[in-house]
Amino acid sequence: MMRPLFLAAALAWTIAASLPATARDGLATTMRAVLYEEDPSNPKGNRADGKIIWRVEPTTDAAAPSGDVTIRGDIEVPSRNLRMTLSIRRNFDPALPATHTMQIDVAPDFAAGKIKQVMGLLMKVNEQAKGAPIAALTVRIDDTHFLIGLSAVPQDASNNSLLIRSRAWIDIPILYATQRRAILAVEKDGDVLPLFNTVFGH
């Protein structure tokens, strides 16, 4: 079992100490992103379409081996003025009980306002399928920065790796400060799969 309080403190220290990553020139793959938002006036909720641009960049962690890479996904949902970056990397801090981390950075002018919490990660085979949860703990740094640590418990790590490498969509459940819920779904199929196989195949 992960120790939530210890992991939360360690994750908070990790994001505070990290430097902004600079995207590397090279191959970028554009795929779909969809934001589903709860709406009391619409039982089916609201859907807003966008895109995610996936690329890789060198990992800036000094403890990372030479050649290690970070997966970066830049998300844009124009109708909701949502701009978000996902940074997914292996963890090399022995004090942090996580195999990988996902850093989520949200531009502050999001139309929905402040985000209270990111509720975890789910993986699904297609956009409409039900997601399977990833074993992880999310830490809210502030309204625009969140960090997710993926469980280092061996069985959890094995299941997480299988789900992430085999399923084509990621669901990110979100709770707004207004208490309304949303799900951001992003595609990671096709040309992006080798990137995830590299980062999660160790």
Side-chain angles (χ1 to χ4, degrees):
M1 294 287 293
M2 291 193 296
R3 291 166 289 172
L5 292 177
F6 171 75
L7 181 55
L11 286 174
W13 179 89
T14 298
I15 195 169
S18 65
L19 296 174
T22 301
R24 183 178 70 182
D25 291 336
L27 178 65
T29 301
T30 301
M31 293 194 166
R32 292 174 290 166
V34 184
L35 179 65
Y36 303 94
E37 293 181 303
E38 196 173 49
D39 183 349
S41 65
N42 181 1
K44 294 183 179 180
N46 298 322
R47 172 192 171 115
D49 291 304
K51 65 181 180 180
I52 181 167
I53 301 175
W54 293 107
R55 56 172 56 86
V56 294
E57 57 192 27
T59 299
T60 57
D61 185 346
S66 176
D68 192 76
V69 296
T70 293
I71 301 171
R72 177 182 172 121
D74 293 312
I75 299 166
E76 184 177 4
V77 182
S79 67
R80 299 297 287 146
N81 204 32
L82 172 61
R83 290 173 291 119
M84 178 187 290
T85 298
L86 311 179
S87 300
I88 306 167
R89 60 178 63 91
R90 290 192 288 156
N91 173 49
F92 297 100
D93 181 355
L96 181 64
T99 60
H100 300 75
T101 61
M102 176 187 284
Q103 182 172 322
I104 299 176
D105 303 307
V106 186
D109 51 354
F110 180 27
K114 295 180 179 180
I115 295 176
K116 182 176 182 179
Q117 186 57 282
V118 172
M119 308 303 292
L121 298 172
L122 299 98
M123 303 301 304
K124 57 188 184 181
V125 296
N126 57 55
E127 182 188 344
Q128 302 302 327
K130 183 178 179 180
I134 293 296
L137 180 69
T138 304
V139 174
R140 176 185 180 275
I141 306 304
D142 56 34
D143 297 334
T144 59
H145 298 92
F146 302 84
L147 203 64
I148 301 176
L150 276 61
S151 173
V153 174
Q155 186 61 52
D156 290 342
S158 177
N159 291 339
N160 286 347
S161 178
L162 178 61
L163 286 170
I164 289 169
R165 289 185 291 120
S166 65
R167 302 203 176 186
W169 283 77
I170 304 173
D171 268 359
I172 305 173
I174 297 168
L175 180 66
Y176 296 153
T178 60
Q179 300 302 313
R180 291 188 184 180
R181 295 171 295 178
I183 293 177
L184 178 63
V186 296
E187 187 181 19
K188 53 164 282 291
D189 205 358
D191 293 339
V192 176
L193 288 178
L195 306 183
F196 282 83
N197 288 337
T198 297
V199 172
F200 286 90
H202 297 272

